[in-house]
Amino acid sequence: MSQLALVIDLNVCVGCHACVTSCKEWNTSGTAGYLADMNPFSKDPTGTFFNRVQTFEVGNFPNTETVHFPKSCLHCEDPPCVPVCPTGASYKREADGIVLVDYDKCIGCKYCSWACPYGVRELDEHQKVMKKCTLCVDRIYDESLPENERKPACVMACPTNARLFGDVNDPDSEAAQAIRERGGYQLMPEWGTRPANHYLPRRKTRITIHEDELIRADNPLYKERQLPMPDADDPTLDETTSW
Amino acid sequence: MHPAFSVIFLTTLIGAGQGLFLALYTGQLYSVFKVLPVQDSADFYALGSLIAVLLLLAGLFSSFFHLGHPERAWRSAACWRTSWLSREVLTLPTFMGAVAVYGLIHYLGWNPVLYSFRDTFDIDLSLVIGAGASLLGFTLFLCTGMIYACIKQLQEWATPLTVVNYTLLGSASGFLLATAFAAWQGSELTEFFGGWAILMTVIAFITRTASLIRNARIKYKTSLETAIGIRHARIEQKSQGFMCGSFNTREYFHGAPQHIFRLIKWSFLVLVFPIPLLLVSIGLSANALGLLIAAFLVQYLGLLLERWFFFAQANHPQNLYYQTVG
Ligand code: SF4
Ligand code: SF4
Ligand code: SF4
């Protein structure tokens, strides 16, 4: 069975928030109604978002690293938000593993948001129903879009290609390959939610060079002194010719 | 978590209602076995049931304020197979109905004896209905407690003590109310109810303290390391990604300063346990109705604070993602 998901590459995310704004733009324009913003132009504005980019600092100065960390619903394979829902409004699709909320059934009790360990569900203050990332279910199957645009809005917007989209259960998909080959991992494995979204870690390319790799300490002929040793102040043969 | 007044009133009101009914039924059960004198059907059982139903109705009413779409509340009966919230939504009205029927039978006197055991113990209709209603009452305590206890990552709640405390605190408050009610009715059951109320308050004190001690020693399974998946002892959030509030910053933080938080804890410990115990003991020995009513009211006030603290103390792992505005 397929399980669509995002794979987010922390190694190249630059924290530009393009995925945040494109997600908001796409999802606030959809048929399911807008993502409400309350007090947008006055004190304490607040709004519904499906995706956020946060920033963390890892390590002690001067050995610190800044990590930009995008966070949206992880479309868990064992989603704790689904069984707790009293109305069945929260559900996981059999066919592609997307976790969705039926806005016409949701009573706004917020219980699913308590059960999700990741804090990715938000109650829409205007519509009074629970909302969350839909994996752009209204884009990815839309045949009126050109085929290369049938991807989530956030994936399309990312300038560094830090967001990969695909079926993580299909071993040949770009997403599954990235997880396999580039150390993809899941958030909070301790709660057994088996998130479908994975993160690719930061990487550093380092090579280790030892001192004896810089001087020819292991030249066997030199070592065994089979050839006449030149005087100390004579030019060595190494400098003029080679053995 | 952010304590919602709707849920605080819901759980405390229905707890008292459930406890009151359980008290009435226990009284009736004892009288069948001739341990206690029989009470007047209409004045005692019917009126008592009416009070219990009113408490349950008030709780139900307050729960609607928690919902974004109360007009769709009927939909929440759908998923009783998986959801404790759905189970509670089904059990509450069923229990309420059973208590109402129990009261009505007593009021109208439609209480035929179904079975007579050795011509001494009469099993009548109300006893059978009451047994079913008691079962529903306990199921309701179980459902209410499990709503919270089943969420694994809210580690303060994920313990059997949560169910135990909901049951004992609700019962204690209901039996206290029954004590005052019986005293008002001039019933001989006052001391019987009072004794049970004292016993349950004492046991609830032990179990609630046990959960406080447990929660003070919790080792959280989630840290920033597992939350963002980077293994390093020092990770600090520099930005949560937005400046003003969001659902995430409102729903999961209680927002009270540390000294208020602590004050509420000590206030509920004093108001729920020692003061009502003192009042009910004096009230029983002096046969003072006022003190018995005060005992119930003081404990109810304490239970409101207890429930506030119950919610505020639970620490959701998502809070790790919302530590710094930026
Ligand atoms: S991330 Fe949260 S909301 Fe999304 S599927 Fe998992 S538990 Fe549900
Ligand atoms: S997949 Fe769509 S809904 Fe989900 S975060 Fe990306 S843009 Fe937003
Ligand atoms: S658009 Fe891409 S690079 Fe920018 S914050 Fe989003 S994921 Fe990171």
Side-chain angles (χ1 to χ4, degrees):
Chain A
M1 226 183 337
S2 65
Q3 169 66 64
L4 298 180
L6 295 174
V7 176
I8 294 166
D9 189 349
L10 298 184
N11 201 35
V12 294
C13 173
V14 294
C16 69
H17 292 247
C19 53
V20 178
T21 50
S22 69
C23 169
K24 175 86 173 182
E25 193 277 333
W26 174 259
N27 285 293
T28 206
S29 328
T31 48
Y34 59 92
L35 303 185
D37 289 314
M38 309 311 267
N39 321 319
F41 303 113
S42 46
K43 201 166 165 272
D44 296 329
T46 179
T48 317
F49 282 77
F50 293 171
N51 181 30
R52 295 287 196 183
V53 176
Q54 308 191 314
T55 303
F56 294 88
E57 185 179 84
V58 180
N60 290 307
F61 182 81
N63 296 317
T64 51
E65 208 170 314
T66 303
V67 177
H68 300 294
F69 178 82
K71 177 165 81 85
S72 55
C73 168
L74 309 168
H75 298 279
C76 301
E77 294 200 55
D78 216 340
C81 56
V82 169
V84 301
C85 174
T87 62
S90 274
Y91 63 104
K92 184 170 178 72
R93 306 206 320 172
E94 284 282 327
D96 53 15
I98 301 182
V99 176
L100 288 176
V101 181
D102 183 338
Y103 301 155
D104 293 330
K105 277 192 188 166
C106 174
I107 56 171
C109 69
K110 309 182 201 149
Y111 194 31
C112 57
S113 75
W114 296 5
C116 166
Y118 307 99
V120 294
R121 295 181 157 246
E122 298 194 12
L123 189 87
D124 187 285
E125 291 293 334
H126 174 73
Q127 261 176 302
K128 300 282 183 203
V129 292
M130 196 52 73
K131 296 191 172 180
K132 63 180 249 333
C133 160
T134 63
L135 214 55
C136 285
V137 71
D138 50 350
R139 277 191 75 88
I140 57 179
Y141 295 113
D142 185 352
E143 299 198 342
S144 67
L145 291 172
E147 196 161 346
N148 63 350
E149 284 182 25
R150 288 180 212 157
K151 290 184 214 159
C154 56
V155 173
M156 301 271 299
C158 179
T160 62
N161 205 14
R163 302 172 79 91
L164 312 176
F165 166 69
D167 177 3
V168 291
N169 281 354
D170 168 9
D172 299 326
S173 74
E174 187 194 18
Q177 272 179 20
I179 295 171
R180 205 163 59 235
E181 292 164 7
R182 290 149 70 188
Y185 65 86
Q186 296 166 318
L187 304 182
M188 297 189 198
E190 62 273 23
W191 302 118
T193 55
R194 299 200 296 138
N197 281 14
H198 281 66
Y199 286 78
L200 304 180
R202 299 298 287 268
R203 294 164 169 242
K204 292 244 159 56
T205 312
R206 289 200 175 93
I207 62 168
T208 312
I209 298 174
H210 298 288
E211 211 176 336
D212 61 354
E213 290 168 313
L214 294 175
I215 55 161
R216 288 184 66 185
D218 56 349
N219 186 333
L221 297 175
Y222 182 80
K223 242 184 182 164
E224 290 160 22
R225 307 200 170 218
Q226 284 174 349
L227 289 164
M229 289 286 286
D231 282 345
D233 46 359
D234 278 356
T236 64
L237 271 177
D238 271 358
E239 283 170 355
T240 52
T241 180
S242 71
W243 296 100
Chain B
M1 304 294 291
H2 178 79
F5 280 104
S6 48
V7 183
I8 293 180
F9 280 109
L10 162 73
T11 54
T12 49
L13 286 169
I14 64 172
Q18 285 159 271
L20 175 58
F21 171 76
L22 290 175
L24 295 176
Y25 186 69
T26 318
Q28 193 193 356
L29 207 59
Y30 274 56
S31 70
V32 170
F33 293 105
K34 314 258 188 277
V35 185
L36 290 172
V38 182
Q39 302 299 309
D40 181 82
S41 267
D43 278 352
F44 194 78
Y45 296 116
L47 189 58
S49 306
L50 180 67
I51 298 174
V53 169
L54 289 178
L55 284 169
L56 295 166
L57 270 176
L60 186 67
F61 176 73
S62 125
S63 77
F64 282 115
F65 290 93
H66 188 64
L67 302 182
H69 282 279
E71 79 284 2
R72 298 181 189 161
W74 58 272
R75 285 187 179 276
S76 56
C79 293
W80 55 272
R81 283 183 197 80
T82 59
S83 167
W84 282 104
L85 179 53
S86 182
R87 289 171 198 160
E88 185 190 44
V89 165
L90 280 174
T91 314
L92 177 53
T94 319
F95 173 64
M96 215 176 338
V99 176
V101 171
Y102 174 85
L104 214 60
I105 286 177
H106 277 296
Y107 182 69
L108 300 173
W110 290 346
N111 203 1
V113 173
L114 301 177
Y115 180 72
S116 211
F117 188 65
R118 286 200 193 148
D119 291 334
T120 19
F121 307 125
D122 289 340
I123 312 290
D124 58 25
L125 182 62
S126 69
L127 208 64
V128 176
I129 304 255
S134 306
L135 204 65
L136 285 166
F138 281 115
T139 313
L140 187 52
F141 277 130
L142 178 72
C143 293
T144 312
M146 280 310 288
I147 287 177
Y148 307 102
C150 78
I151 303 179
K152 277 190 280 182
Q153 78 273 9
L154 283 164
Q155 287 178 260
E156 285 85 352
W157 295 350
T159 154
L161 279 175
T162 302
V163 178
V164 172
N165 285 330
Y166 268 93
T167 311
L168 284 174
L169 290 170
S171 305
S173 137
F175 271 80
L176 260 186
L177 181 57
T179 314
F181 173 69
W184 174 55
Q185 291 278 319
S187 154
E188 307 88 329
L189 259 49
T190 313
E191 303 216 325
F192 168 72
F193 289 150
W196 273 108
I198 290 174
L199 185 68
M200 278 192 267
T201 306
V202 170
I203 304 178
F205 175 71
I206 296 171
T207 57
R208 191 64 181 96
T209 317
S211 79
L212 286 178
I213 294 171
R214 171 191 178 272
N215 290 351
R217 303 158 61 105
I218 277 185
K219 278 207 177 68
Y220 290 109
K221 289 191 187 158
T222 298
S223 63
L224 264 184
E225 287 185 47
T226 67
I228 67 171
I230 294 176
R231 194 173 159 77
H232 200 296
R234 193 191 161 277
I235 304 175
E236 194 183 302
Q237 185 168 46
K238 289 291 166 185
S239 155
Q240 63 182 14
F242 52 94
M243 314 246 326
C244 291
S246 75
F247 179 73
N248 303 83
T249 60
R250 289 189 294 270
E251 179 72 5
Y252 304 89
F253 295 89
H254 59 79
Q258 197 56 35
H259 63 276
I260 301 282
F261 181 77
R262 236 177 270 137
L263 181 71
I264 290 184
K265 178 172 91 178
W266 288 107
S267 312
F268 97 68
L269 280 174
V270 171
L271 290 178
V272 175
F273 305 108
I275 298 189
L277 283 177
L278 201 68
L279 288 174
V280 80
S281 310
I282 303 175
L284 283 178
S285 53
N287 206 2
L289 175 62
L291 286 183
L292 295 177
I293 296 177
F296 168 74
L297 290 179
V298 168
Q299 190 180 55
Y300 184 76
L301 181 69
L303 284 175
L304 293 178
L305 298 180
E306 187 274 337
R307 227 32 63 85
W308 185 95
F309 188 82
F310 171 79
F311 285 102
Q313 199 191 22
N315 208 349
H316 200 290
Q318 79 104 37
N319 292 4
L320 291 166
Y321 294 115
Y322 301 91
Q323 295 295 326
T324 320
V325 171

